[in-house]
């Protein structure tokens, strides 16, 4: 199934007015089977990804030491990238569990999601709760949870010194390598709670009272995983653990930040303050991107993100069909940009520094520094 989209250079600003269609009308246009959550179907994707990850580990564990020393660094880099891509796909399945899109059984979804994300050093329930609020408040300058843009008056003092080629390289390097752990530990780029916010702190303002017990569970999982890595390093070596686990994990973390950033950051996407925001306008203030073959590897979280924000509990294997179904109704509200990812990340890093109101009060658009 192929989908034709407008070229990025002709992409116009998204409509800023409330759409005339309703969520119910969009849902009615989607074939009913797209909302079916098949446990066997979901497990098939999970087992397929795990088998590839195990195969890649088997190759390096048994054969990489036969390579000449001059090729080892290159071989480990290839492994890190390939394994990192596969593990990103597995991370996406864990994300699907957090949305109760894996199966009809909430406890099973949470159990599988907890195991997957813990193995990838993600505090599952902590992320699940904050991510749920991201979906509830997407596009809101006041309450969104991730990649919340600043207004010009809120820029850091050093922003002007990063407004050049070297500064953007530094910004991208730090963001893609440290952005994910900084978000989890310090809520970097997240909602401003006017106090310390951390995904590992059960008393963090991110969470509600009935959620706090689950943060302890997430933390215990992370502690157990770190102990397991330490034990494995003692039995093998830190170098081995770095090569087979940490280096692919860095790739995973980089992709998580890159994908999320590009889904929610675009010169043609609006943001809203409390006077203009409503849920459906916010849900449509996201953009689908084309990652080529990686769309499939990442279970289409990249090129079906618009429909995901409208129907978060829809399984990923139905998202493309659902996108095709709602696209005629969405019309200009549907955003797709097929700019090559390398060009897009550079463009957005340059042109999307802060937001300001333009024609309409309460509607904000990205701007670049002069």
């Amino acid at each position: 199934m192929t989908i034709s989209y407008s070229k990025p250079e002709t992409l116009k600003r998204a409509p800023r007015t409330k759409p005339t269609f309703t969520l119910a009308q969009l849902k009615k246009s989607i074939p009913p089977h797209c909302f079916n959550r098949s446990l066997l179907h979901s497990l098939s994707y999970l087992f397929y990804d795990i088998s590839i990850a195990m195969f890649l580990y088997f190759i390096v564990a048994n054969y990489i030491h036969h390579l000449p020393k001059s090729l080892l660094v290159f071989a480990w880099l290839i492994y890190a990238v390939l394994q990192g891509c596969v593990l990103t796909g597995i991370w996406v399945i864990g994300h699907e569990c957090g949305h109760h899109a894996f199966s009809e059984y909430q406890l099973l979804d949470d159990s599988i999601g907890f195991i997957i994300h813990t193995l990838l050093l993600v505090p599952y329930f902590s992320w699940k709760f904050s991510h749920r609020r991201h979906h509830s408040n997407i596009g809101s300058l006041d309450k969104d949870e991730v990649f919340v843009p600043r207004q010009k008056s809120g820029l850091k003092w050093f922003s002007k010194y990063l407004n050049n080629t070297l500064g953007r390289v530094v910004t991208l390097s730090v963001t893609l390598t440290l952005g994910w752990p900084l978000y989890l530990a310090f809520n970097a780029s997240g909602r401003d709670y006017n106090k310390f916010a951390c995904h590992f702190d059960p008393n963090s303002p991110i969470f509600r009272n009935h959620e706090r017990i689950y943060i302890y569970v997430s933390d215990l999982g992370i502690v157990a995983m770190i102990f397991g890595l330490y034990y494995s390093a003692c039995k093998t070596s830190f170098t081995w653990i770095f090569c087979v686990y940490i280096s692919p994990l860095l790739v995973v973390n980089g992709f998580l930040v890159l994908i999320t950033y590009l889904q929610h950051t675009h010169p043609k996407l609006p943001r809203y303050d409390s006077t203009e925001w409503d849920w459906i306008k916010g849900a449509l203030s996201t953009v689908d991107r084309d990652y080529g073959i990686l769309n499939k590897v990442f279970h289409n979280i990249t090129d079906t993100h618009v429909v995901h924000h409208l129907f978060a509990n829809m399984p990923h294997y139905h998202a493309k069909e659902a996108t095709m179904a709602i696209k005629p109704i969405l019309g200009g509200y549907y955003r797709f940009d097929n700019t090559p990812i390398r060009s897009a990340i550079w463009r957005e890093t340059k042109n999307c520094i802060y937001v300001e109101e333009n024609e309409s009060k309460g509607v904000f658009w990205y701007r670049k520094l002069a």
Side-chain angles (χ1 to χ4, degrees):
M1 182 185 298
T2 59
I3 307 175
S4 60
Y5 302 101
S6 59
K7 293 183 180 298
E9 59 268 18
T10 65
L11 199 65
K12 299 178 180 179
R13 277 187 172 181
R16 60 183 183 271
T17 56
K18 186 173 182 177
T20 56
F21 51 81
T22 65
L23 189 65
Q25 289 172 323
L26 292 174
K27 186 173 183 178
K28 188 176 181 180
S29 71
I30 298 172
H33 71 265
C34 289
F35 295 97
N36 293 338
R37 297 168 290 193
S38 167
L39 176 59
L40 290 179
H41 202 168
S42 297
L43 284 173
S44 70
Y45 282 95
L46 178 58
F47 290 152
Y48 178 77
D49 284 355
I50 290 174
S51 66
I52 295 177
M54 292 178 65
F55 174 74
L56 291 172
Y57 176 79
F58 174 82
I59 293 296
V60 298
N62 291 278
Y63 298 106
I64 201 168
H65 61 277
H66 293 300
L67 293 175
K69 289 185 177 180
S70 59
L71 295 178
L72 280 178
V73 172
F74 181 66
W76 278 117
L77 284 174
I78 293 176
Y79 165 79
V81 172
L82 292 177
Q83 188 73 289
C85 289
V86 174
L87 293 180
T88 301
I90 295 177
W91 193 101
V92 171
I93 293 177
H95 158 270
E96 195 143 288
C97 291
H99 282 294
H100 193 20
F102 189 83
S103 75
E104 298 291 336
Y105 311 102
Q106 180 72 69
L107 179 60
L108 180 63
D109 284 10
D110 281 338
S111 299
I112 293 175
F114 176 76
I115 293 170
I116 290 173
H117 275 188
T118 299
L119 291 173
L120 296 173
L121 290 180
V122 177
Y124 172 74
F125 290 106
S126 310
W127 163 85
K128 173 185 173 179
F129 297 141
S130 68
H131 190 66
R132 177 191 297 166
R133 287 191 249 298
H134 160 60
H135 272 257
S136 298
N137 300 287
I138 177 177
S140 167
L141 286 176
D142 307 304
K143 295 183 178 180
D144 200 352
E145 289 286 344
V146 62
F147 283 115
V148 182
R150 299 176 183 272
Q151 297 184 51
K152 192 172 185 179
S153 60
L155 292 178
K156 299 293 186 181
W157 63 269
F158 52 78
S159 298
K160 60 183 179 180
Y161 299 108
L162 298 175
N163 188 35
N164 52 65
T165 300
L166 178 60
R168 283 187 278 275
V169 169
V170 172
T171 299
L172 278 175
S173 299
V174 172
T175 300
L176 295 179
T177 54
L178 299 177
W180 178 242
L182 287 176
Y183 170 68
L184 293 177
F186 303 105
N187 204 37
S189 82
R191 176 180 172 182
D192 183 7
Y193 283 96
N194 293 316
K195 61 172 67 176
F196 180 70
C198 170
H199 281 76
F200 301 101
D201 179 10
N203 296 313
S204 172
I206 298 173
F207 311 116
R208 296 169 182 167
N209 288 335
H210 70 277
E211 297 169 341
R212 302 192 191 282
I213 185 64
Y214 293 96
I215 312 308
Y216 287 106
V217 175
S218 295
D219 290 350
L220 285 174
I222 297 300
V223 170
M225 184 60 192
I226 291 174
F227 177 79
L229 290 172
Y230 173 75
Y231 181 81
S232 299
C234 291
K235 291 294 184 179
T236 55
S237 68
F238 175 78
T239 301
W240 177 252
I241 297 301
F242 178 85
C243 290
V244 300
Y245 176 81
I246 297 178
S247 58
L249 190 65
L250 291 173
V251 175
V252 174
N253 293 349
F255 270 124
L256 296 181
V257 173
L258 174 66
I259 292 169
T260 307
Y261 176 75
L262 289 181
Q263 285 167 340
H264 300 286
T265 308
H266 194 286
K268 306 301 184 182
L269 287 180
R271 294 283 185 138
Y272 306 96
D273 69 12
S274 59
T275 65
E276 279 292 321
W277 182 87
D278 70 21
W279 183 82
I280 196 163
K281 285 166 63 176
L284 293 171
S285 63
T286 184
V287 59
D288 287 347
R289 305 272 190 171
D290 184 10
Y291 286 69
I293 192 174
L294 291 180
N295 290 331
K296 198 71 173 176
V297 177
F298 297 159
H299 302 301
N300 299 105
I301 195 66
T302 46
D303 61 341
T304 61
H305 197 66
V306 174
V307 76
H308 171 67
H309 264 284
L310 292 167
F311 305 101
N313 63 348
M314 178 187 293
H316 67 86
Y317 41 82
H318 293 314
K320 286 184 74 84
E321 182 179 359
T323 297
M324 288 293 293
I326 65 173
K327 189 185 170 192
I329 299 176
L330 291 179
Y333 287 92
Y334 177 71
R335 304 280 89 189
F336 179 90
D337 190 343
N338 59 3
T339 301
I341 297 303
R342 285 183 301 176
S343 301
I345 185 65
W346 187 256
R347 181 189 66 195
E348 268 58 298
T349 303
K350 179 180 180 181
N351 295 330
C352 300
I353 306 301
Y354 65 95
V355 292
E356 70 176 7
E357 289 178 303
N358 196 354
E359 302 93 352
S360 300
K361 184 175 176 57
V363 182
F364 294 74
W365 300 93
Y366 281 101
R367 292 285 186 268
K368 64 180 179 180
L369 286 171

